[in-house]
Amino acid sequence: MKRIGYLTYGLDRSPTGIGRYAIELLRAMKGLPGCPEIVLLTTEQSDPHNLWDDFERHPLPGCGLLPALLAAGNAALSAAIKRYDLDLVHDPNGIAPFFGPAFGAKRVATIHDAFPYVYPQTHNRLDNWRYRWLLPQAARRADLVLTDSHHSASDIARYLHLPANQIKAIACAVNSSFTPVPDSPERRAALTRYKVEPPYLFYLGGITARKNIAGLLEAFARIQPGYPGLKLVIAGKRQWQTAEIDAAFARLGQSAPVHFTGYLAESDLPALYSAATAFVFPSLYEGFGLPPLEAMACGTPVVTSNLSSLPEVVGEAALTVNPHSVKELGAAIKRVLSEPDLRADLRQRGLERAALFSWERAAHETLEAYHHALETSSRPVRSFAGSFKNEESPPPVVLVGGASSSLTGLSRYGRNLSTALSQQGQPIIPGAIARPPLPGPFFNLARKMGFDLNTFFSTYPLALAARPEQGLLHLTSQNLASAVAFKKPARLVITVHDLITLACRQQPEITGYMRFYDRLFDNLAARGLKKADFLIADSEHTRQDIIQRLNYPPKCIKVIYLGVEHAQFKPATVSADFYNRYNLEKNKAYLIYAGSEDPRKNLRRLLAAFKLVTEACPQARLIKVGAARFQGERQALLAEIEKLGLAGKVHFFDQVSDEDLVYFYNLASVFVFPSLYEGFGLPPLEAMACGTPVVCSSAAALPEVVGEAALLVDPFDVPGLAAAIERVLCEPGLSAELRRRGLERAAGFTWERTAQQTLEVYRQVLENS
């Protein structure tokens, strides 16, 4: 290894967590024996961190602003690679323009998280453009992607469609300045600079919706009356999507003392951490979460979220809570405030935990990653151009919905089908939805009024951005059919997962949420479905709905079941670390439900049945995996839990990777799926593939999917549902038999078979066109 190019961006401004990562990693690598020569490829006008004296430097003129870096930066990077004969270029910001020629150099990018995909409502337009188009392209051109945690590695693999062996997780750390600072004139001076006086709770991070500061304000308002003199100090830069935070702060008025300090100098952070009674960090999503680790290194007790990578970072050294529950967050803070022994224990455990993370180790692992990238042969960039030139290749398919990064079942169908078809040799071209040709200010005005038109028109599309010149178009969901209601493409196939909104219009419990525009676009989608050359149905139940509701010719409908990713969803041993990360106890009997909180999922009756189960089995706990579509759904369930006296016995985990979902299935004593209507129902099948006993609703397509491998119950019969769950919990023989049947049943559902049968439909449509 001769020379490494290290791209620095924005370090002449107040650094955020990403900037601090770039600085600390660079300094740590410089101090390692045998470190290769590092050439700084700099966009900055000044050097406030004194890096330029220690490294050879090559400025990238005119690239100080992100748009300029992404444009002129291509040529500038390529020229630097050639001039300095660089073996490898590393971008620690995840924004490198890797489109230009690399002249033999390998390319490494650090992508810290995937939050705009997980929480799209909390990022601005620039990030939306960067992450949705530019970043995936740049990531695919990188020879290796680094990230800060295993959770982020999983998200990046899913959302950016990268193979796992192209991603390496390397934990961040805190530098040596983060140590406990005793009470002293220096510490008091630092507090005085920001008008901070103990006792106080401390938060440090971006002021934005993803950080859940509104929830922190509500929790503090509830507990503060019991602790006179206690203040909440919120430090960090104000970013975007702050309306909810401002509203929560306005509701408090003068009732609770809250102090916003703005940005803090890094040299003052140890003092502010050390003087705090507790550090509270209830973020909804983090790629790593450096502030909790810094707080622990300063000996400050930490209360943080149990979501995303945070449990992976803090381990057992912090109190982790469901950040969506204001009550749970407040209760954890009260424990820290009221229990001196707990504070002392968290302080000691935090110091020990923080000591496990070092920039020296991160630097060692990063250099190893460089060597690995250099030893790996270059990967060709995937291209579908050859599919059109090779007459022996099958005609290409424009697959709309196959590249979606959402966590829903519909999106997983699109992704898995796309992958399986490609593995069968079918050329796939990702298609897209076209945004209506409305002026940009129109979308901005709607957003200010609380209506996201981008989301609306991706849910209710009016047109497609891509049309196949040859081959055919496959829409992977009936929800996309409104895009072809008025203009039918040649050779059109649509997958219909269900017709819930048509079949259940007379059932308010299932479709009562629909507004007039839902029904309007639902009718447009039905019109689009009738224009298809062929429809694929997930189940025979869905096929019958299509025939009855749409009067569609039966000969043009084929039932093709979904598959299970058997390489992932399989029996596995659940480690003690997994239980610790999610604050779970091994001696409990866990019921698992995975899915949304849509009213048709019947979770209120599940809670009522669970109440009956706990009376017979006090050790039973219910875990709900998956995010709510709307906050109102979650609030309704939390109110029901409170009403039934189930507080502390029901756990919500919103953003769970597929890797962790496997372990949730495997730790479960029973998987419960009481849905009122499903066009297929993939979660019960995945649970079966993991060897988990299943209690399932007898409604709609579910009996067709689970067969005799599950206990089927009437979803309206609460006592019957409770009795079925109790049978599985209390009868080991029945539990073992359901495990055996479930494994056998799930083995018959594969994405390979789904792809093969889908190819038969493509051939039939092309032959008849």
Side-chain angles (χ1 to χ4, degrees), residues 120-389:
Q121 68 274 26
T122 65
H123 65 280
N124 59 23
R125 180 177 296 179
L126 177 61
D127 277 334
N128 182 59
W129 173 73
R130 188 180 86 195
Y131 276 86
R132 298 286 179 170
W133 183 79
L134 179 65
L135 183 58
Q137 299 297 328
R140 291 189 186 107
R141 286 165 171 77
D143 294 277
L144 185 67
V145 169
L146 306 182
T147 192
D148 304 332
S149 66
H150 293 291
H151 187 279
S152 286
S154 174
D155 278 354
I156 290 166
R158 175 189 296 134
Y159 294 121
L160 301 185
H161 310 294
L162 296 180
N165 62 2
Q166 196 184 328
I167 308 168
K168 182 174 177 58
I170 299 176
C172 298
V174 295
N175 67 39
S176 58
S177 67
F178 288 92
T179 58
V181 178
D183 189 13
S184 62
E186 291 75 18
R187 189 173 93 170
R188 289 192 290 273
L191 269 61
T192 300
R193 274 193 288 277
Y194 302 100
K195 301 178 182 179
V196 172
E197 294 182 4
Y200 62 91
L201 302 175
F202 188 39
Y203 164 86
L204 173 69
I207 310 299
T208 185
R210 173 171 61 97
K211 303 293 187 173
N212 193 30
I213 296 172
L216 173 58
L217 290 168
E218 297 286 356
F220 178 67
R222 292 189 184 188
I223 67 166
Q224 197 276 336
Y227 301 90
L230 181 69
K231 295 167 281 295
L232 173 61
V233 174
I234 297 178
K237 289 182 179 179
R238 186 178 178 87
Q239 297 177 334
W240 50 85
Q241 298 289 337
T242 60
E244 185 180 3
I245 300 169
D246 294 338
F249 184 58
R251 284 196 299 272
L252 297 182
Q254 301 300 317
S255 62
V258 180
H259 177 44
F260 288 86
T261 68
Y263 184 81
L264 301 183
E266 184 174 350
S267 59
D268 290 327
L269 292 181
L272 271 291
Y273 279 128
S274 298
T277 305
F279 180 75
V280 188
F281 195 75
S283 178
L284 301 178
Y285 184 90
E286 294 293 323
F288 183 78
L290 201 52
L293 198 64
E294 292 174 342
M296 291 193 291
C298 294
T300 306
V302 171
V303 176
T304 190
S305 164
N306 62 8
L307 299 182
S308 65
S309 65
L310 288 165
E312 183 180 335
V313 174
V314 301
E316 297 181 355
L319 293 186
T320 57
V321 300
N322 174 12
H324 293 289
S325 172
V326 171
K327 181 178 179 180
E328 190 174 331
L329 177 59
I333 296 172
K334 285 179 68 175
R335 283 194 63 198
V336 176
L337 294 173
S338 305
E339 301 178 26
D341 290 344
L342 174 62
R343 288 200 301 275
D345 184 45
L346 289 175
R347 172 185 170 87
Q348 184 59 38
R349 282 193 279 170
L351 289 167
E352 293 172 356
R353 180 72 178 178
L356 299 176
F357 296 80
S358 76
W359 283 115
E360 182 180 1
R361 187 176 74 171
H364 270 296
E365 294 182 10
T366 300
L367 290 181
E368 290 175 2
Y370 291 169
H371 284 289
H372 174 74
L374 290 165
E375 292 168 0
T376 305
S377 59
S378 298
R379 301 171 294 102
V381 177
R382 180 186 296 181
S383 171
F384 297 106
S387 302
F388 294 89
K389 299 175 183 178

